[in-house]
Amino acid sequence: MIDMNKEWGEKNKEIQKLLGKEATYQQGIEKLIEFRAELFETMIQIENHFPREAFDLMPFAKASGYHSKTLGYSIWHIFRIEDIVAHELIARDAQILFQKSFQERIGAPMITTGNELKGDEISAFSRQLDIKCLLDYAKAVMRSTNEIIKKLEYQQLKRTFTEEDKKKLEASGSVSADENAVWLIDYWCNKDVRGLLKMPFSRHWIMHIEAMLRIENKILLSVGTK
């Protein structure tokens, strides 16, 4: 697992280097989309290993890292953040969650990123999710983001965001006003488009999917010792 994570880090470093120069920008975009497909497949393989109830488990509940969450929460969190950033900030169009009745089909009681949830709230939230529909949503978000990324020209990477963008995000209700979540608005809007390609479209995935692998391994060890 350590070697794999190191490999992901090296791939991401190479991609960001390619994106930084106009001459290699298009190659960087292609590699970014390939890398996202690889990470997504890893997430699907995790899903294939477990029955539904495993997605509510918190084997590292008292830890402070991303692995302190559930598998279900992790998927929701990754793709809500991507959906919000890709559509509210970059494309400035409708989020995928609000299309094809995704929220209702998933069974999600909220539209936020989930940053505001703590402890038992995370597992309680996870129990409400239809994981198959959640993965359908995740795939739809990934595909729509990939299309947005493909259309971005190198010169557009320097585009920054305004107070109006911040107000639009607040008004969307997609980010909780809770102190553990509201900081996201400034965090995203203080970046340019290139900064958002780094985080959340690649590095954010790596961090949370690595955490999901830790959760997966812990659950498998627990099952093996019973």
Side-chain angles (χ1 to χ4, degrees):
M1 182 169 159
I2 293 173
D3 291 340
M4 179 174 60
N5 290 349
K6 183 178 180 182
E7 180 185 341
W8 286 354
E10 289 302 316
K11 283 186 178 182
N12 190 46
K13 191 183 297 183
E14 178 193 4
I15 289 165
Q16 300 308 325
K17 186 176 180 181
L18 291 170
L19 292 175
K21 297 179 181 179
E22 188 167 9
T24 56
Y25 170 71
Q26 196 55 49
Q27 184 184 359
I29 291 294
E30 290 168 5
K31 284 188 175 293
L32 174 58
I33 290 171
E34 289 173 5
F35 186 39
R36 282 160 54 83
E38 177 186 341
L39 292 171
F40 194 87
E41 181 59 28
T42 299
M43 193 179 68
I44 292 296
Q45 290 305 312
I46 294 172
E47 190 270 340
N48 288 340
H49 284 167
F50 296 116
R52 168 63 189 84
E53 55 270 23
F55 287 81
D56 312 330
L57 300 177
M58 298 176 68
F60 297 102
K62 296 183 179 179
S64 59
Y66 297 125
H67 58 297
S68 66
K69 318 299 183 184
T70 68
L71 293 172
Y73 171 95
S74 299
I75 300 169
W76 172 266
H77 177 74
I78 293 168
F79 291 96
R80 279 306 292 134
I81 283 185
E82 177 155 316
D83 196 2
I84 294 162
V85 170
H87 292 280
E88 294 286 349
L89 288 178
I90 298 179
R92 290 174 171 155
D93 59 9
Q95 294 179 41
I96 300 300
L97 187 70
F98 307 137
Q99 303 174 26
K100 300 181 181 178
S101 304
F102 268 120
Q103 184 186 358
E104 293 78 8
R105 287 162 53 199
I106 294 166
M110 63 188 197
I111 64 169
T112 61
T113 64
N115 286 68
E116 68 276 16
L117 300 180
K118 301 173 186 175
D120 291 341
E121 293 174 338
I122 294 172
S123 54
F125 166 71
S126 301
R127 282 193 292 273
Q128 297 180 68
L129 305 178
D130 182 311
I131 299 300
K132 295 294 185 185
C133 289
L134 177 58
L135 287 169
D136 287 343
Y137 167 65
K139 188 177 291 185
V141 171
M142 178 184 69
R143 287 174 174 170
S144 71
T145 300
N146 285 349
E147 290 306 310
I148 291 168
I149 290 171
K150 287 176 187 176
K151 292 175 184 175
L152 280 175
E153 297 178 1
Y154 180 76
Q155 291 74 18
Q156 293 177 292
L157 299 190
K158 296 179 181 179
R159 175 159 70 85
T160 56
F161 302 97
T162 66
E163 286 301 316
E164 285 303 310
D165 290 312
K166 292 182 182 182
K167 290 176 182 175
K168 184 170 178 283
L169 272 179
E170 290 171 359
S172 76
S174 299
V175 179
S176 169
D178 184 279
E179 65 179 359
N180 291 314
V182 72
W183 61 271
L184 283 167
I185 294 176
D186 282 336
Y187 178 76
W188 295 330
C189 291
N190 288 339
K191 294 181 179 293
D192 57 13
V193 171
R194 185 185 175 193
L196 296 179
L197 287 184
K198 288 183 181 179
M199 184 82 164
F201 295 169
S202 53
R203 188 163 175 263
H204 191 242
W205 280 43
I206 293 171
M207 294 189 303
H208 281 283
I209 294 175
E210 284 178 350
M212 289 176 71
L213 288 168
R214 289 189 67 181
I215 296 169
E216 176 193 34
N217 289 340
K218 186 68 171 179
I219 293 172
L220 290 172
L221 282 173
S222 299
V223 171
T225 55
K226 289 182 180 179

